[in-house]
Structures are given as C-alpha cells and as structure tokens.
C-alpha cells in the first residue's frame, strides 16, 4: 500500500504527460488558461489540450476526446463546469488514465446534490483503478520539474518544502514565503487525502519540511499511522483552520470538510509530532526556522540586546512559549564582566549597551559578546536584538562577525531581531541570504519559532 | 495639581532653552553627543553646553557651571557618570532650573547603593522645587518642535502619538513605526511618573493616541484616576513588560522597577479603558488602526476574499479575538446572489472568486461586492483579502475603488490583507498613503486590531 500510494501520487506530482480536458482557447491576461502557464513555466513533459471545439490551443494540437490521444497520459486535469465532470471522468478513467484532477467548484463545497455528485465521480474513477484529486482544486505545483497547473500565474522556486493543502492559496506564494516548492492541493479531498501526500513527501528527497493546511481529515487512523512515521524523519507543521464555530461553517462551505472537534486535532497532532501553528505568520516563521537550523539540544536561550526593554519583552516571551532564560556559566559571566563597567550587573539578557560603555568600547561588544555566549555549554540557541539603522558600517561588520560565528557554532541557532525603520535593505539581505541566521519581525516571533523547533527536537529524540 | 503637572511637564517637552550639563566635545560618528543631534534636528530654542573642560562644544560657547549661564534654562539634561550626578543636580536645582533630566545608568537599575543614590537626587531636587526625569533615560523627543535630546540620532515625524516609556527603545523608531512623534522616556521613573505624562498628553492637541511602555507604576491610585479621565478622550494603549518571572527579573535590572503582579495590571488597565497589547507587533498595528479609524459602532465584520481558506482563517480569528461574523441582511444577500453563479452559496465571508465566475465577471466583483457589504446596516467594519500580485492593473483599480468607498463610508473601517509576494510596492503605498484603509500583514492581525478598536469604542460609550 505504501509503495502503491507513492507511485500513484507520483503521477500527479511528477507526470511525464498531462491532458487538459475541457480547456478553453482564451490566452489573454486573466484568461485563466493553465496550459499557457504550464508552458510559460517551462514544463518539459508532453501536454494535450482536449476540447472538441478547438483545432489547437496555445499553439498545440487539440483533441476532441481523451480517446483520441496518441498515448495514455500520466495525469488528466479536468477543467469544465461541474455538471460535465462525471462523463469526462468516466472517459478518462476508461481510457486508462490513473491520475485525475478536478478543478471545478460546486461539489461537496456547495452541499446537497454537489456532495452526491462528488461521491459519484470517485466511484466512477475507482471502477477503472484511477485516483482523484479535488474537486474544487487549483492543481499541482512542482518547482523541481517547472510544473504548475494552476489557472493563475504563480511563482515557484526550488525550495525544500512540500505543502499539502485544501486551498489554492499556497500557490499564490503564501504570505511572504514568496514562492511554492511543491504543492498538492487536495481541494474537497474526495479521494486522495493527507496521508497519501505525507507518504509521498516522506520519501521525496527534494523535501525537507512538510506543511499542511487542514480543514478536515477523513481517515484519522491512517493519517496518524503515516504522520507519526514521517514526522520522525521530517518536520511537519500544520495550520488547522475551522477551529471555531464560525470557522467550521466557513470550512464546510469551502472544502465541504467536516472540521471536527478542535481538541481532537490538537491531540492527534501532538501524538504524531506535528507542530500545530497558531496563525499565518507563524507558518512563514517556521518554514524559515526549520529550513535554517538543526535540531535543538535544549531550551536555553542566550539573549544579547542593545535595548534592555527588548530583553524584558523577550524574557516574557520565553515564559509564554517555553524557552528558558537561565544564568550563564561562571566562565561566561566572568568574561562578560571584563567587558562591562564594574558597577553593572551582567546576566542573561546581556546588555550590549553596558558593554559598549565598558573598557573595550562599542565596536567589539557584539562580536565578543556573541562569541562568549555561543561558547557557553549551557546555551542552546541565541537571540540578538540590534537596531537596523545606526552606524551602518558597524551593523554590517556585526553581520559579518555573526555569520562567521554561525559557521563555527553550527549546532546553535542564531536568531536576530533587527528593529527600527529599515533604511538600507542590505543588512537584512546579508543575514537572510546566508541561510544560517534568521531575522524575525519581533522578539516574540523569534522565541516562538525556537520553542517550536525545541518541541520538534524533543519529539524526534523521544521516539528514537 | 493637574495644571501644575502640565506646566511642569511642559518644561521637559516644550523647553525654550536647555542646558547640557557634563556634555563632552566629541562630535564624530558614534560620539553620542546629544547637542550635535539637537542642532541637526533643527531645534529653535537656546542651548547651553556646560563643562569646565571646554571653551566651546559643537560651535557653541561652553560654560563652566550652570551658575554662569546667561539665563535660567527651562530644562537641564545631565550627562555625566552617576557619581557626579548628585552635586550637579544640586547646583542646577539651586540655580533655579525646575526640570532636570538624568541620563546615566547605575541607580535603581543596578540595585543597592544605586537605589539610595537615586532617592538622594530626588530629595535634592525637590528641596528647590525641581522635578526629575530618569535616571537611566534617553531624553525627550518632540517632533513638533524639532526637539530630540537622545544621544543617538533617531528620526522623528509629526505623528499624533505621544509615548510614555521606560526605555529609549521608542526613540529608535519603534519596530516599523519608523519614527517617533512625542516621547517621554521616564527611565527609572524616580520622580515624574506615568500619571504626569498622561496628564500632559491628555491636554496636548498634537496627540490623538497615547502609547505606554510600562515596567512598573508606583502610584497606582493616581495613575488610575488620571488614566480613566484621559482614556475617555483619547485611546491609551499599553505594552506591559515584566509579566513573567523572567521578565520581572529583567525589568528590575533594567529600570529598577518592581513589576508587580501581572493580573493586577490587567485589572487596572481594564478599569481605566487602557488597551493592553500582547506583543510588539500589536503595538504597531494599533497605532495605525487608532490613527486611521473612527470608533466602531459594533463588532460585526464583513469579509470579502478571493481565497476561502483566508475566509476560514479569518473566521477563526473572529472567534479568538471577539469580532462577529454574522449573516448579512436579506437585501445584501439578494444583491450578492445576483453577482454569483446560481449554485453557489453566498454568505459572510463573501467568495470573490465565485463572483468572478458569475455573470458580471472579474473586474467589478471586488468593487460591487465591497459597496454592497459596506451598505449593509448590519456591518460595522470590513476586511478584504486580496492578492498583491496578479493583474496589477486590476489591483490598482481595486485600490482606487476601495479608497473612494472609504470616503463615502467613513463610519466603517475598511481593513485589508494583501497577501503574496510583494512585487510592486505601489499597491501597498496607494492604500497606506491614504490614511483611510489599513493593510495588515495577516488576517489575524487585522481582526485583532479591529477587536481592540471595538473594545475601546465600548469603553467610551459606556462611560459617556
């Protein structure tokens, strides 16, 4: 079954040929012609427009029916309104196509008759041994094959994230993530489910992190079995929507999902080692965090800050999200004391302002302070709080120093909060392009992300 | 007392002349010379460097002692290390200066002897009828007078926000706020307290919103009396740090404050109508929200979205933060139904995608949908969820349409979540420069901000 699932999903995610059934000829802006975008993205497989009303579409010979195609394509994407879908599913399945993707809305998402129509197309497909993704689905995206079957243009990049969703949203470059790596939109999830996607991404070497957008999961038992197994090898983060009564109603009219009791999902995710996120911004934070950092050895955070208010805010965040802000080792304290004025208390958070006024002065305080804290065996990860503006030269020197230290201390994540108005994007870029240090929009979000990384690290250590 | 307080604070915030006592002559980059920055900002009052070791500083005649000054300045900022402060406070107070600001650390913030030293300087000042701000304080900023006495260069703009803080942090253009309007940094808060600042900003016509960064408040009774009164006229938002054990420890070594029990602050803020914020990003959101929108008439949110997953996430956020996502009026539903395909359910959230495929097509769906929802008497505020990228022309037309509607429906806040990678900053700028529509980085943050606005609106209506 496991191997079977993987080869079935491969037809959707790595097809060598695709039929676009019911595709129309429009190609201007806003035409919503997926074939046009597939060609623009540079997909190198074979594509077949299928529509009896056209001789060619986007410069490619069109076929009146799937029965006329010169080969049995790996994947068929069905693009007609919902009432035509059952007949086209039947033709495609009977002609031997094993992967069917249905785009139209108006199935379980619209209730009543739509739900029956949805059950019908699954039954038809299964009779010929085909599987269905959708309906009410955007398509699939695989940046590693320059493949994107969405009907709007969305950008892709070869990032090591596999998303399994019930929305096309993730194609639009989910907020600030900029781009999609691999996306499997399950839509109404009539047949292919989250467990199938997990099975596939679990074995996919291109994918290091799996993201779920869940409105409802049908086969909970199988989901748990697969998720538990996959989460040991790769982090899985999940945004579960429909937690409230409002949200359940909305989910039900969106993907036709029964959202279920929220606390059940909480328990399921926890048992499987899935990190459940609180909001859309955490999704972005955790993608960056999990791709940048190794597992954490513990929950002790060392903080260096030029603003002690930032230190206090960070301390509160540690209590809220479950990181520890412990005393440094005696050696570290001794070393830091040597840098500060003698009447100043030295602790965690480290007051970089105090070091600045100390005998060694501004320029070296961050670098020496960071090196000292990173070398402390009691410290598992670090947050540095620095202004993005003042003394541009110093800020850039600090970035270089931090990046060098990140190379030496690869086992200890270095996070950053660059605060203040952004005047010069080079500083952020210098840090962000490194892939080694992650800059967060607030200290709270840095702490939350590290706490989730700790949670996942503990799951992996506990099950091993 | 009230009038007295205001005229005392005016000496700090609107001085006609300032003595910089103990200022040094360095003026290069990183010299931390506040006089240099005061001149750069274009302050038009009179300034007097006071230091016996210099003949002039920054091109201005220096005086050996405050006793030699040609006038009694409104404000003296004392810049020496802490052991020299008591003598200089005494000289300044005895020469008649009524407003004294102490920059040095090493007082209550370092415990023990420092705390006694701090009590001593207050006693000395009071003997001559002077008041003290600080110690451990950045200075004051008043963009409306081009005055900024901080020892690092920070930018200002005439925005209608008055901040009372216990950190210099707010000078550095608190995260993404870009700039400070008016800032009163209380530092260790040895004498001038939050109540004094509230009294002052309460009567200040330049200020429409008051922001507090609180580590500890001493005179709770007076604070409550003043805050309750001021909050009826102007919103007060507060970031209270030191809520956790870690945070209390950090606050104590930062401003020497006793942070107190967190639930007491919760109760106090609630009774006074002060909006307590959860994190640094909410501070930014609420500044934008309270400056842009009038009071809310109720908690009913109308949502328009091109992604129904965004709608479901918003629905969950409504439940979490306390906005309502109710059915539209019959008239609204009838009108929306006319725009959508007939088999699609129409509700709140409105699926703009469904309208796009309806008889009227893409271009008008947002505009007509927004107009319809805004005209619904059951709707108090609106969130529109739109991609920032696709069809740039449409996006800009949408922005123009929304801004026109915002002018017509001034009583109903229109909020926005533009999602997706930002390709062209003009869209955001078009919205943001309007000052009428606020774009948030996530739907959760839009909903949270509107819920806080509702909370404040209810406070004002209840006490009136």
């Amino acid at each position: 079954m496991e191997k079977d699932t993987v080869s079935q999903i491969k037809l959707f995610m790595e097809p060598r040929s695709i039929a676009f059934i019911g595709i129309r000829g429009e190609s201007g802006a806003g035409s919503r012609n997926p074939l046009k975008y597939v060609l623009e993205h540079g997909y190198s497989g074979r594509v077949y427009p299928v529509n009896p009303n056209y001789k060619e579409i986007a410069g490619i010979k069109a076929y009146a029916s799937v029965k006329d195609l010169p080969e049995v394509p790996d994947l068929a994407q069905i693009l007609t309104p919902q009432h035509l879908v059952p007949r086209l599913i039947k033709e495609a399945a009977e002609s031997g196509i094993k992967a069917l993707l249905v785009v139209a809305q108006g199935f379980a998402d619209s209730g009543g008759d739509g739900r029956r129509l949805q059950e019908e197309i699954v039954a038809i497909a299964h009779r010929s041994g085909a599987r269905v993704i959708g309906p009410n689905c955007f398509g699939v995206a695989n940046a590693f094959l320059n493949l994107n079957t969405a009907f709007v243009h969305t950008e892709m990049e070869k990032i090591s994230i596999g998303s399994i969703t019930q929305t096309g949203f993730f194609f639009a470059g989910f907020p600030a993530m900029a781009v999609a790596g691999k996306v499997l939109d399950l839509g109404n999830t009539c047949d292919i489910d989250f467990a199938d996607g997990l099975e596939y991404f679990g074995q996919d070497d291109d994918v290091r992190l799996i993201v779920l957008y869940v409105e409802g999961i049908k086969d909970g038992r199988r989901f748990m079995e697969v998720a538990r197994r996959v989460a040991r090898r790769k982090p899985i983060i999940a945004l579960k929507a429909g937690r409230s009564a409002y949200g359940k109603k909305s989910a039900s009219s969106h993907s036709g999902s029964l959202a279920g009791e929220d606390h059940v999902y909480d328990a399921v995710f926890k048992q499987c080692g899935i990190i459940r996120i609180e909001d859309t911004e955490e999704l972005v934070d955790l993608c960056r965090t999990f791709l940048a950092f190794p597992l954490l050895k513990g929950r002790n955070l060392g903080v260096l800050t030029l603003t002690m208010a930032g230190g206090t805010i960070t301390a509160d965040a540690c209590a809220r999200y479950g990181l520890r802000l412990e005393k440094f080792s005696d050696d570290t304290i001794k070393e830091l004391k040597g840098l500060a004025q003698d009447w100043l208390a030295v602790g965690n958070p480290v007051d970089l302002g105090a070091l600045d006024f100390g005998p060694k002065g501004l320029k070296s305080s961050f670098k020496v302070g960071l090196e000292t804290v990173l070398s402390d065996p009691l410290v598992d990860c670090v947050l540095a709080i620095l202004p993005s503006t003042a003394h541009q030269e110093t800020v850039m020197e600090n970035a270089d120093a931090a990046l060098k230290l990140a190379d030496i201390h690869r086992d200890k994540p270095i996070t950053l909060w660059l605060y203040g108005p952004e005047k010069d994007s080079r500083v952020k870029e210098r840090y962000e392009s490194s892939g080694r240090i992650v800059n967060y929009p607030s200290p709270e979000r840095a702490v939350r992300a590290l706490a989730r990384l700790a949670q996942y690290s503990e799951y992996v250590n506990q099950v091993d």
Side-chain angles (χ1 to χ4, degrees), chain A:
Chain A
M1 177 65 191
E2 188 184 331
K3 206 182 148 225
D4 230 39
T5 300
V6 169
S7 54
Q8 280 165 349
I9 306 295
K10 270 191 179 165
L11 294 176
F12 288 98
M13 291 299 294
E14 307 167 28
R16 290 157 303 180
S17 49
I18 312 173
F20 291 91
I21 301 177
I23 191 163
R24 297 192 305 174
E26 287 89 340
S27 65
S31 63
R32 307 189 164 204
N33 186 327
L35 179 54
K36 179 187 141 199
Y37 297 120
V38 163
L39 297 173
E40 277 178 15
H41 278 294
Y43 171 63
S44 63
R46 295 173 299 281
V47 289
Y48 303 107
V50 178
N51 189 329
N53 304 320
Y54 293 89
K55 286 228 181 301
E56 64 166 55
I57 291 176
I60 294 174
K61 176 179 160 54
Y63 297 83
S65 158
V66 282
K67 294 172 192 161
D68 306 326
L69 297 178
E71 66 172 320
V72 176
D74 281 347
L75 169 64
Q77 179 151 327
I78 297 166
L79 295 148
T80 64
Q82 94 276 34
H83 63 280
L84 298 172
V85 172
R87 181 171 63 79
L88 295 169
I89 283 269
K90 187 161 182 283
E91 281 179 23
E94 287 179 352
S95 70
I97 305 175
K98 297 298 179 203
L100 306 170
L101 193 151
V102 181
V103 172
Q105 292 180 287
F107 292 88
D109 49 294
S110 67
D113 288 346
R115 197 172 286 277
R116 274 193 298 278
L117 202 62
Q118 182 169 308
E119 283 163 14
E120 193 186 326
I121 61 171
V122 175
I124 296 169
H126 282 189
R127 274 203 291 276
S128 305
R131 301 291 307 269
V132 185
I133 282 184
N136 186 15
C137 151
F138 237 56
V140 293
N142 182 346
F144 296 79
L145 291 182
N146 300 319
L147 171 65
N148 189 326
T149 72
F151 56 76
V152 294
H153 178 81
T154 62
E155 309 242 332
M156 299 187 295
E157 201 178 283
K158 293 179 181 61
I159 50 173
S160 308
I161 299 177
S163 300
I164 314 170
T165 83
Q166 295 182 304
T167 167
F169 204 9
F170 282 71
F171 283 80
F174 196 82
M177 268 309 291
V179 280
K182 296 196 180 188
V183 187
L184 189 58
D185 176 8
L186 303 175
N188 288 1
T189 319
C190 70
D191 181 23
I192 299 285
D193 201 349
F194 284 94
D196 303 305
L198 283 175
E199 204 77 270
Y200 172 75
F201 284 134
Q203 60 80 51
D204 180 355
D205 289 338
D206 293 334
V207 165
R208 292 198 288 126
L209 168 69
I210 301 172
V211 172
L212 311 181
Y213 170 82
V214 180
E215 295 195 344
I217 291 170
K218 277 163 195 160
D219 186 349
R221 198 177 298 268
R222 179 158 169 255
F223 175 82
M224 287 180 75
E225 186 276 310
V226 178
R228 210 181 262 137
R229 187 155 34 81
V230 171
R232 283 178 211 180
R233 298 199 309 270
K234 296 179 187 183
I236 305 172
I237 63 178
L239 178 60
K240 168 68 181 67
R243 53 167 87 206
S244 63
Y246 285 141
K248 272 180 203 164
K249 219 180 111 203
S250 176
S252 147
S253 73
H254 172 215
S255 60
S257 294
L258 302 172
E261 289 305 317
D262 195 65
H263 64 92
V264 175
Y265 279 95
D266 253 350
V268 164
F269 288 162
K270 202 172 173 190
Q271 273 187 49
C272 302
I274 294 176
I275 309 299
R276 180 171 185 171
I277 61 177
E278 287 183 316
D279 51 54
T280 45
E281 290 186 307
E282 187 175 11
L283 178 55
V284 180
D285 293 343
L286 293 196
C287 285
R288 300 170 69 214
T289 304
F290 278 88
L291 289 186
F293 299 133
L295 296 184
L296 274 175
K297 299 221 171 81
R299 288 179 176 258
N300 285 338
L301 178 71
V303 179
L304 300 109
T305 176
L306 246 171
T307 155
M308 280 304 278
T312 303
I313 290 166
T314 302
D316 284 343
C318 285
R320 180 169 173 186
Y321 294 111
L323 286 190
R324 283 192 296 270
L325 199 70
E326 298 295 316
K327 262 189 82 166
F328 293 128
S329 69
D330 292 346
D331 282 355
T332 301
I333 289 176
K334 204 177 139 195
E335 218 163 314
L336 291 173
K337 265 191 193 299
L339 299 171
Q341 280 178 299
D342 57 2
W343 45 266
L344 276 169
V346 163
N348 187 14
V350 181
D351 182 354
L352 287 174
L355 302 196
D356 278 358
F357 287 115
K360 301 211 174 164
L362 176 76
K363 287 237 168 172
S364 62
S365 71
F366 173 67
K367 190 182 158 220
V368 179
L370 181 59
E371 189 162 20
T372 307
V373 170
L374 279 169
S375 305
D376 189 325
L378 300 179
V379 169
D380 301 308
C381 49
V382 167
L383 171 63
I385 298 176
L386 298 168
S388 58
T389 45
H391 309 308
Q392 203 55 26
E393 202 185 309
T394 309
V395 171
M396 289 304 257
E397 277 169 23
N398 282 344
D400 290 337
L403 289 169
K404 255 185 215 157
L405 288 168
D407 265 338
I408 299 167
H409 299 271
R410 294 200 176 198
D411 57 330
K412 297 190 179 180
I414 302 176
T415 65
L416 204 68
W417 179 40
L418 286 175
Y419 62 88
E422 189 181 314
K423 281 284 170 50
D424 185 339
S425 59
R426 282 178 306 167
V427 182
K428 269 188 192 165
E429 276 159 22
R430 174 89 59 117
Y431 280 110
E432 281 168 12
S433 65
S434 75
R436 286 223 178 284
I437 294 182
V438 179
N439 174 41
Y440 297 84
S442 78
E444 293 95 341
R445 282 170 64 179
V447 168
R448 180 172 69 171
L450 286 171
R452 305 300 191 224
L453 181 60
Q455 183 189 334
Y456 177 66
S457 306
E458 286 158 9
Y459 174 79
V460 171
N461 290 330
Q462 154 220 315
V463 292
D464 274 356

